[in-house]
Amino acid sequence: MSDARSDIFARIREALKVKAPKPHLKGDGAAGKTSTVAKPWLPDGGETAEDSLTILAEQLAKLKAVLIRVPDHASAAKAVAELSASKNWKKVAYHGHDLLRPVVAALTCETWEADTSFDKQRLEGCDAGITTCESIVAQLGSILVSSASSGGRALSILPHVHVVVAESSQIVPDLGAALALAKARHGDQMPSMLSFITGPSRTGDIERILVLGAHGPKELYLILIG
Amino acid sequence: MSDSKAIFLKDATVNAADGDQRAFINKALGGYYTNRDLQKARYRDWERARDAASMAKWSAVNDLANVLEKFVGNFERNGGVVHWARDAEEARTIILKIAEDVKAKAIVKSKCMTTEEIHLNDALEKAGYGVVESDLGEFIQQLRGEAPYHFVFPCMHVKREAISALFTKHLGTAPTDSPEELTMIARRHLRQLYIDADIGITGANFLVAETGQISITENEGNARLTAALPRIHIALSGIEKVVNHLDDLSVLLPMLATAGAGQPMTCYNTLYSGPRKKGECDGPEEFHLVLMDNARTRILADPEQRDSLHCIRCGACLNVCPIFKNIGGLAYGTTYQGPIGSVITPHLRGLKQWNHLSGASSLCGACTDACPVRIDLHHHLLHNRRNAAKQSPTLFDLAFHHGFTFVIKRPWLFALGGRIFRATLPLLQKLPLPYMGAWMKTRDLPKAPAQSFRDQWKNQNV
Ligand code: SF4
């Protein structure tokens, strides 16, 4: 008996001997020539950095994510400390990164660098996870995290609150730009996980009524420096 | 009549008469229509975006052997293990074998219609494994012991009181009528299960050939947790899910969310390229991907309907379908409901037994209009009907076809027939006509005109 792999490939090759027509396109067909060309038919991500920031702020507000803009690193630390105090966080896990260490140093609660060990139970007991990100997509309000920039896979999804600290220079206009940047940065050594996070976790499974915090974080904060 | 047809007709009749349930479904979908339109309005040109999305899928599906090969090469280079399954049985065997090899005890699953297609839960449970569905809708359906009602919104037909009663019965929680509180009950219940599970099973929305990554789309974060915490990750995917370029996702991901759920982007869109890499602090030790054919190559071999493999399972065609909204998702008796289900189920499970679904259509074309990847859905329903009539015509089909051909070729006979028909129409109304019972039950025959069209034409003296 031949193996499944070669069988399936044989079936595919046989099936494709007959050509199928192209889909009936409405535009001039240029849209079909994919790949990294600008896509002026998708939602707008802004021409200038200023436009992008405006769109991003609008999108995040609609998604019920909280954007906190601060002028510098010191005020980022202050903003997170205030958040922690007001929400009464007892334990906070964070990704060991130079951008985050001063932020965490300003916290008065128990803190834990989650990259140092994989302790699911301990992470589950944390009120918040603090991470950096790869980039921020203005067009859709998405934040791209990765197992490299966010202390692995679990830190940005298991704790009840997710705080992302980023610089405004990390904003890109659209999804295509974010993917291109990830490719340029990591080449063929992609982190094992890349995740676009678009607002706090949500579900509409009960009567199509929106509820935040289905399994992932109920609250999502983006602390944007500069 | 096939069994599946008899069951379908019975269920569809009962459901279509249930005004309460129909109103409930319509209300649930109301918010979707508004949000979808708001999000579509943000596209600078939705039609051109559909062009790009359909071309991205077309170019991958029509070069499937090469694209798949490239994907697999890159996936393996990233450290994942690929398994091939010709059919459902092989896919189940592979997954059971992995579970046995790693001595699994508890398995957590995120939503994946392909696993529904192969009835994976039954197989795992029979082999003695505990399996928990973690998507809220799937979790509720699992407790109800019922198949998903809609492949994107699995329990959209269940009222909150019923969910509350279900949780009280199975989880011992206090009754509540708040969707928020019900969601939190499930959240609390499932957290420890993710942590304790040895295996996480997910699906895949896209397989990216260029990078060897798989892309998973979800709102709740349950797939993220499923692929993060257990030590083994198994993903099951149809072979048709490949796309050529990473950049294709910059079109497909937002369109999937907007078309199917009226969102700008689904909450989590995650690319996985292997198990935990060196230097990473968490993630599974092993990453297995089961690539399954299960009749997909049969659809591929039909160039006319090959585009139904472009489907990104957004659910938009269900949400706009008048048939779906009236008979509900369970009546279909299929893994994939609605128009796309009616198109592909005959290929997956046999045209003879499942062609009746292609008849359950008003051919309004709302599905085709809604489809982000431009699948010619309502024409495919017609293609299925034609193919079924060719493949195994009923006596009625044959008699009607030959009779009609005979008459239409002889103008005098056609005219005579028309005259007789006009004269006897009032009588026919009262007779129990063979084959026509179901039609006549809810309809009157038209009043016969005094003259035929041809007579009128002749008599106008031009
Ligand atoms: S057929 Fe088109 S509209 Fe229907 S689920 Fe598939 S992609 Fe969506």
Side-chain angles (χ1 to χ4, degrees):
Chain A
M1 199 178 82
S2 58
D3 68 309
R5 176 185 169 126
S6 25
D7 256 12
I8 292 173
F9 272 99
R11 290 178 191 174
I12 295 173
R13 294 211 164 86
E14 183 60 34
L16 287 177
K17 279 187 183 154
V18 190
K19 297 277 169 268
K22 276 197 185 177
H24 304 290
L25 303 184
K26 296 277 162 65
D28 53 13
K33 301 190 184 69
T34 59
S35 228
T36 57
V37 289
K39 300 180 190 73
W41 19 268
L42 287 180
D44 193 11
E47 297 271 318
T48 63
E50 208 181 315
D51 288 353
S52 294
L53 191 56
T54 313
I55 295 171
L56 175 68
E58 272 172 28
Q59 288 307 111
L60 288 172
K62 283 190 204 147
L63 292 162
K64 301 190 162 61
V66 183
L67 172 66
I68 302 175
R69 294 194 58 199
V70 293
D72 50 40
H73 291 80
S75 26
K78 206 165 141 249
V80 178
E82 278 167 11
L83 203 56
S84 167
S86 75
K87 301 274 171 181
N88 199 19
W89 292 340
K90 304 243 162 16
K91 288 181 215 155
V92 169
Y94 67 98
H95 166 50
H97 185 280
D98 287 343
L99 189 64
L100 299 179
R101 289 202 178 90
V103 170
V104 174
L107 293 177
T108 48
C109 62
E110 184 189 325
T111 61
W112 168 46
E113 189 177 318
D115 318 53
T116 51
S117 64
F118 184 27
D119 186 340
K120 308 184 223 188
Q121 209 70 55
R122 184 169 178 195
L123 191 58
E124 205 280 323
C126 288
D127 300 296
I130 306 180
T131 74
T132 54
C133 68
E134 298 267 327
S135 59
I136 301 160
V137 184
Q139 177 192 38
L140 304 162
S142 307
I143 299 168
L144 178 60
V145 301
S146 75
S147 37
S149 68
S150 316
R153 298 187 185 196
L155 178 57
S156 56
I157 194 72
L158 190 55
H160 301 278
V161 178
H162 182 200
V163 181
V164 180
V165 181
E167 316 239 10
S168 59
S169 59
Q170 288 180 278
I171 300 173
V172 296
D174 54 25
L175 202 55
L179 290 167
L181 184 65
K183 230 163 63 177
R185 186 177 290 155
H186 302 290
D188 58 8
Q189 291 301 316
M190 286 278 192
S192 73
M193 182 205 78
L194 281 164
S195 187
F196 289 97
I197 298 178
T198 310
S201 155
R202 61 198 54 215
T203 184
D205 274 347
I206 300 175
E207 301 190 7
R208 306 294 318 129
I209 295 166
L210 177 69
V211 176
L212 296 183
H215 295 286
K218 283 181 211 177
E219 299 166 34
L220 174 65
Y221 296 92
L222 174 61
I223 316 286
L224 197 59
I225 305 170
Chain B
M1 200 188 296
S2 67
D3 287 354
S4 47
K5 180 174 178 183
I7 296 169
F8 174 76
L9 287 177
K10 192 169 136 267
D11 289 354
T13 313
V14 172
N15 295 351
D18 187 344
D20 267 2
Q21 186 64 21
R22 281 163 49 192
F24 179 75
I25 294 295
N26 272 315
K27 181 159 170 273
L29 286 171
Y32 157 78
Y33 299 130
T34 318
N35 291 332
R36 176 201 58 189
D37 291 346
L38 283 172
Q39 291 306 329
K40 265 167 84 168
R42 283 198 67 225
Y43 283 69
R44 286 167 289 180
D45 190 340
W46 176 254
E47 292 305 321
R48 292 195 58 188
R50 289 176 78 200
D51 285 356
S54 62
M55 279 308 293
K57 285 301 296 182
W58 184 88
S59 52
V61 165
N62 283 279
D63 189 20
L64 190 58
N66 293 324
V67 184
L68 203 54
E69 204 142 29
K70 183 166 170 199
F71 166 76
V72 169
N74 285 330
F75 183 86
E76 286 171 341
R77 191 179 44 77
N78 290 332
V81 184
V82 175
H83 308 262
W84 297 88
R86 278 170 282 221
D87 52 30
E89 165 88 63
E90 281 188 352
R92 287 191 298 263
T93 310
I94 292 165
I95 295 172
L96 283 170
K97 173 88 174 33
I98 299 172
E100 197 188 308
D101 287 351
V102 302
K103 302 192 172 51
K105 285 187 197 73
I107 300 174
V108 68
K109 268 187 70 202
S110 71
K111 187 167 175 300
C112 164
M113 292 314 295
T114 319
T115 61
E116 298 281 344
E117 186 183 322
I118 67 167
H119 303 292
L120 181 62
N121 288 4
D122 285 352
L124 287 169
E125 276 161 11
K126 255 189 222 121
Y129 299 102
V131 194
V132 183
E133 290 286 352
S134 59
D135 170 84
L136 178 58
E138 292 279 343
F139 177 65
I140 290 169
Q141 287 309 90
Q142 190 185 25
L143 291 183
R144 286 170 64 85
E146 190 174 70
Y149 182 91
H150 176 304
F151 60 72
V152 180
F153 313 138
C155 69
M156 68 178 293
H157 63 306
V158 188
K159 297 191 175 128
R160 61 184 84 175
E161 300 79 44
I163 297 171
S164 170
L166 188 75
F167 284 0
T168 304
K169 181 172 156 209
H170 291 275
L171 312 176
T173 50
T176 166
D177 63 0
S178 143
E180 158 109 39
E181 188 42 43
L182 289 168
T183 305
M184 292 313 132
I185 290 172
R187 178 186 173 98
R188 281 192 295 271
H189 176 74
L190 283 159
R191 290 221 131 206
Q192 196 57 41
L193 299 180
Y194 293 113
I195 294 175
D196 295 339
D198 323 272
I199 298 186
I201 299 180
T202 69
N205 293 82
F206 302 100
L207 313 172
V208 185
E210 180 188 4
T211 54
Q213 294 166 302
I214 75 167
S215 175
I216 300 180
T217 294
E218 48 133 4
N219 268 313
E220 298 183 357
N222 60 312
R224 285 276 315 266
L225 289 165
T226 301
L229 302 179
R231 73 195 151 83
I232 310 292
H233 177 189
I234 304 175
L236 172 67
S237 170
I239 49 173
E240 83 286 11
K241 297 278 171 76
V242 281
V243 293
N244 275 292
H245 309 286
L246 186 58
D247 188 59
D248 292 339
L249 299 186
S250 71
V251 179
L252 292 167
L253 297 180
M255 290 188 75
L256 170 62
T258 297
Q263 292 179 271
M265 183 82 159
T266 317
C267 196
Y268 300 99
N269 282 282
T270 310
L271 289 153
Y272 294 101
S273 61
R276 178 195 308 196
K277 283 206 160 62
K278 232 178 126 197
E280 292 183 343
C281 64
D282 63 6
E285 293 151 23
E286 292 172 28
F287 183 19
H288 298 269
L289 173 64
V290 183
L291 289 174
M292 182 174 79
D293 178 356
N294 208 31
R296 282 152 180 82
T297 46
R298 226 181 287 157
I299 304 179
L300 194 71
D302 178 355
E304 195 171 50
Q305 294 195 34
R306 190 176 291 162
D307 70 352
S308 57
L309 293 176
H310 299 183
C311 177
I312 57 176
R313 303 278 186 263
C314 71
C317 54
L318 282 65
N319 299 345
V320 299
C321 178
I323 307 297
F324 177 85
K325 285 191 279 181
N326 283 313
I327 68 170
L330 298 173
Y332 287 82
T334 57
T335 309
Y336 306 102
Q337 310 80 15
I340 184 66
S342 302
V343 169
I344 62 174
T345 306
H347 293 268
L348 303 178
R349 300 193 192 166
L351 184 58
K352 200 157 176 217
Q353 299 76 35
W354 294 93
N355 179 53
H356 58 276
L357 296 179
S358 306
S361 163
S362 66
L363 299 178
C364 64
C367 47
T368 308
D369 274 350
C371 179
V373 288
R374 290 200 189 290
I375 299 172
D376 206 356
L377 290 159
H378 71 294
H379 285 117
H380 292 339
L381 296 175
L382 287 174
H383 297 146
N384 278 344
R385 295 186 195 180
R386 181 203 59 204
N387 295 347
K390 257 194 209 155
Q391 195 189 81
S392 46
T394 60
L395 216 57
F396 179 74
D397 286 339
L398 284 173
F400 194 81
H401 177 71
H402 289 295
F404 186 76
T405 318
F406 187 81
V407 172
I408 204 77
K409 279 184 178 159
R410 294 165 179 80
W412 63 270
L413 190 56
F414 185 76
L416 178 69
R419 194 153 299 150
I420 296 173
F421 189 57
R422 278 198 303 284
T424 52
L425 245 183
L427 204 66
L428 290 179
Q429 181 79 55
K430 302 202 177 68
L431 292 177
L433 296 178
Y435 290 111
M436 298 294 284
W439 176 268
M440 298 286 289
K441 219 192 293 175
T442 51
R443 290 170 186 85
D444 288 330
L445 286 172
K447 286 223 163 47
Q451 283 184 325
S452 72
F453 175 75
R454 297 198 313 168
D455 289 341
Q456 287 179 44
W457 185 262
K458 232 188 281 166
N459 296 342
Q460 67 177 344
N461 301 323
V462 266

